[in-house]
């Protein structure tokens, strides 16, 4: 495939009416987010909405640091974490369309270190270990049905998740190959293809992509998306941003020995959040590009990617992804799993959810296969969504780690109601 493009520095801006939306109704978005900000529960927020590659609404409030004076804007870098997964998944499907990869390809055909995996059913070390019924495939990895998991610090399962945390699975302080060797020594939590367990599977897919393309993941994404779409504030390291100082700080709930920030002179807000004990900086201690959760992005740049999917692979009239690629990514790839499979992992946020290629698929109702929207989010309270009705997309960013204010459904419903 030959990609053609005409770079443009930023997204054009149109009025809500020009995009087919009621501006007054869209402002109800602020009614949802302003109370959270004014009550000191989130440090800031950025919301952008786009259609046909043009921004038609923005709501922005707060500073990059609650102690500082620099306002956040559409170019402020946030840690979008698991929102890395849909971007990597798009490359997977692009390579499938190019004949370089198949959903049926097995993990151990790329990395023989995974030849002798075992399963600890339910993630318990008290149960008898099982040999694999079959090998793990690319489809298993992309749909989180591989049997891998995450540590307990995310939503991992059982003793296996505890071991993930103890040994630091996929640690940025080791090389990618070292991490793969360590991961191969830990049992799976389920037989491949039998259950949904949110996992490091996309990290493994990223390693497969690097092996096929012969280059680092960041370079693959630069070539496929970031350069053709002129994304200046997205990537794995500080060098990927036009202004390395325009970075949102991390905050979270107070914890043992750490009190909330409280009132700041001349601010007027009594902050109920606390700073987190790690530096707010992209690429810290990074030895490899983490395909499952390593990207930082501005709201505008990630919205370009969401708009690309909403337009079925077109950006500013240029073909970046094949329409068939996007169609595969937005198809329910786990039809055999019921809705309860996702609620068990993510709670009420996953009601009426199925799963595609790195994307959650929200149904209109539990009894309907009609899609309300496609979406995904990150652990630090970031999220995006795409509406299949008109290809519009939206993004919400703040920095509360771990995420505590999931407002996807509420915001998306406001936007639906505002459509003229």
């Amino acid at each position: 495939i030959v990609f053609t493009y005409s770079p443009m520095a930023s997204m054009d801006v149109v009025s809500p009416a020009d995009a087919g939306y009621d501006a007054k109704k869209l402002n109800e978005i602020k009614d949802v987010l302003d109370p959270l900000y004014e009550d000191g529960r989130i440090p800031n927020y950025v919301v952008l909405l786009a259609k046909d590659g043009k921004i038609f609404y923005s709501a922005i409030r707060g500073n990059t640091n609650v102690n500082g004076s620099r306002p956040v804007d559409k170019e402020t870098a946030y840690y979008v974490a698991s929102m890395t997964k849909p971007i990597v998944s798009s490359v997977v499907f692009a390579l499938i369309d190019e004949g370089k990869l198949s959903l049926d390809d097995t993990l151990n055909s790329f990395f023989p270190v995974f030849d002798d995996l075992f399963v600890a059913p339910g993630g318990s070390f008290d149960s008898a270990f099982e040999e694999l019924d079959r090998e793990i495939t690319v489809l298993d990895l992309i749909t989180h049905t591989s049997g891998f998991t995450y540590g307990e610090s995310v939503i991992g399962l059982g003793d296996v998740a505890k071991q993930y945390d103890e040994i630091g699975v996929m640690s940025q302080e080791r090389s990618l190959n070292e991490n793969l060797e360590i991961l191969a020594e830990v049992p799976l939590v389920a037989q491949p293809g039998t259950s949904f367990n949110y996992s490091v599977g996309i990290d493994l897919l990223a390693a497969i992509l690097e092996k096929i393309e012969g280059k680092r993941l960041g370079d693959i994404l630069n070539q496929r998306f970031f350069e053709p779409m002129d994304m200046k504030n997205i990537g794995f390291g500080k060098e990927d941003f036009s202004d390395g100082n325009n970075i949102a700080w991390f905050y979270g709930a107070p914890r043992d020995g750490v009190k909330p920030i409280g009132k700041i002179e001349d601010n007027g807000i009594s902050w109920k959040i606390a700073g987190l004990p790690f530096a707010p900086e992209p690429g810290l201690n990074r030895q490899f590009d983490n395909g499952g959760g390593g990207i930082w992005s501005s709201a505008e740049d990630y919205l370009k990617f969401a708009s690309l999917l909403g337009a079925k692979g077109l950006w500013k009239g240029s073909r970046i992804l094949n329409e068939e690629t996007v169609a595969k990514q937005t198809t329910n790839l786990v039809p055999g799993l019921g809705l309860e499979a996702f609620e068990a992992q993510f709670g009420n946020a996953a009601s009426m959810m199925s799963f595609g290629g790195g994307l959650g698929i929200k149904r209109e109702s539990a009894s309907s296969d009609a899609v309300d929207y496609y979406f995904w989010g990150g652990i630090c309270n970031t999220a995006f969504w795409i509406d299949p009705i008109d290809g519009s997309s939206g993004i919400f960013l703040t920095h509360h780690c771990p995420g505590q204010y999931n407002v996807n459904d509420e915001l998306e419903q406001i936007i639906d109601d505002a459509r003229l």
Side-chain angles (χ1 to χ4, degrees):
I1 295 174
V2 177
F3 296 98
T4 60
Y5 56 90
S6 301
M8 302 187 78
S10 60
M11 298 177 75
D12 295 333
V13 177
V14 297
S15 71
D18 286 341
Y21 288 83
D22 183 296
K24 185 176 180 180
K25 289 183 179 178
L26 287 177
N27 274 329
E28 292 176 16
I29 289 171
K30 296 179 181 179
D31 295 336
V32 173
L33 298 177
D34 279 345
L36 293 174
Y37 175 75
E38 291 167 3
D39 196 40
R41 288 181 281 165
I42 58 174
N44 47 50
Y45 67 78
V46 179
V47 174
L48 297 180
L49 307 179
K51 181 182 172 185
D52 300 326
K54 299 174 183 178
I55 294 172
F56 65 86
Y57 179 83
S58 63
I60 300 173
R61 194 164 182 192
N63 297 324
T64 57
N65 174 354
V66 299
N67 290 291
S69 59
R70 178 167 187 162
V72 293
D73 56 38
K74 64 181 183 177
E75 296 181 351
T76 300
Y78 285 82
Y79 177 48
V80 297
S82 283
M83 284 164 58
T84 308
K85 292 178 171 72
I87 301 178
V88 173
S89 297
S90 287
V91 180
V92 170
F93 281 105
L95 292 190
I96 290 171
D97 282 346
E98 293 165 19
K100 298 178 180 178
L101 185 65
S102 164
L103 288 176
D104 295 325
D105 286 342
T106 61
L107 173 61
N108 64 338
S109 68
F110 293 98
F111 298 104
V113 69
F114 293 103
D115 274 342
D116 299 312
L117 292 170
F118 287 88
V119 178
S124 172
F125 290 162
D126 294 331
S127 56
F129 286 10
E130 301 172 352
E131 294 184 358
L132 265 64
D133 292 339
R134 64 165 175 79
E135 297 299 335
I136 295 168
T137 66
V138 169
L139 177 61
D140 298 327
L141 293 171
I142 207 165
T143 57
H144 301 284
T145 58
S146 61
F148 290 108
T149 186
Y150 264 127
E152 284 189 311
S153 56
V154 186
I155 49 172
L157 188 63
D159 298 323
V160 171
K162 292 178 183 176
Q163 190 166 45
Y164 270 44
D165 284 332
E166 288 169 3
I167 63 180
V169 166
M170 302 310 291
S171 168
Q172 289 281 296
E173 297 185 12
R174 298 190 199 100
S175 72
L176 179 57
N177 284 334
E178 288 173 326
N179 275 302
L180 298 185
E181 290 172 2
I182 290 170
L183 180 61
E185 297 295 321
V186 184
L188 304 176
V189 301
Q191 290 286 350
T194 62
S195 62
F196 182 92
N197 293 285
Y198 200 46
S199 74
V200 297
I202 309 299
D203 298 82
L204 298 174
L205 282 175
I208 290 172
L209 296 180
E210 289 191 347
K211 195 157 195 177
I212 293 172
E213 297 288 77
K215 60 185 72 171
R216 191 162 173 152
L217 179 63
D219 294 330
I220 295 171
L221 299 185
N222 279 334
Q223 179 184 1
R224 293 267 175 177
F225 302 120
F226 304 162
E227 290 176 4
M229 299 174 70
D230 205 39
M231 299 180 182
K232 300 294 189 185
N233 295 290
I234 187 170
F236 295 95
K238 209 167 183 178
E239 69 278 3
D240 296 316
F241 299 90
S242 60
D243 182 351
N245 294 315
N246 191 7
I247 295 173
W249 284 54
F250 285 113
Y251 296 92
R255 57 206 176 278
D256 291 345
V258 181
K259 296 180 180 180
I261 294 168
K263 280 212 170 188
I264 298 174
E265 189 176 355
D266 297 329
N267 187 283
I269 292 175
S270 181
W271 298 102
K272 297 174 177 60
I273 52 179
L276 295 185
F278 47 87
E281 181 179 323
L284 193 67
N285 300 323
R286 161 175 150 248
Q287 288 202 33
F288 68 99
D289 297 336
N290 182 333
I295 282 180
W296 289 64
S297 179
S298 67
E300 182 178 51
D301 277 355
Y302 202 96
L303 190 61
K304 290 180 181 181
F305 171 73
S307 296
L308 175 71
L309 297 185
K312 300 180 181 179
L314 283 174
W315 173 251
K316 302 286 188 183
S318 299
R319 176 63 63 186
I320 303 295
L321 290 171
N322 284 333
E323 187 170 348
E324 296 81 4
T325 301
V326 179
K328 290 174 184 175
Q329 190 172 358
T330 53
T331 296
N332 180 11
L333 297 176
V334 284
L337 297 183
L339 301 181
E340 66 279 359
F342 307 99
E343 291 191 56
Q345 286 266 294
F346 301 119
N348 292 336
S351 63
M352 300 182 293
M353 172 182 159
S354 54
F355 198 78
L359 295 169
I361 303 173
K362 269 297 184 83
R363 303 181 188 183
E364 288 285 0
S365 69
S367 60
S368 171
D369 288 331
V371 176
D372 186 7
Y373 61 92
Y374 306 104
F375 75 101
W376 207 241
I379 195 171
C380 290
N381 233 137
T382 64
F384 78 101
W385 56 91
I386 303 161
D387 194 309
I389 291 177
D390 61 0
S392 62
S393 56
I395 187 166
F396 161 60
L397 302 180
T398 189
H399 254 173
H400 189 292
C401 254
Q404 195 168 314
Y405 303 102
N406 188 334
V407 294
N408 288 23
D409 278 342
E410 203 168 353
L411 297 186
E412 201 277 337
Q413 188 59 54
I414 289 170
I415 298 160
D416 275 353
D417 293 342
R419 188 181 291 115
L420 296 171

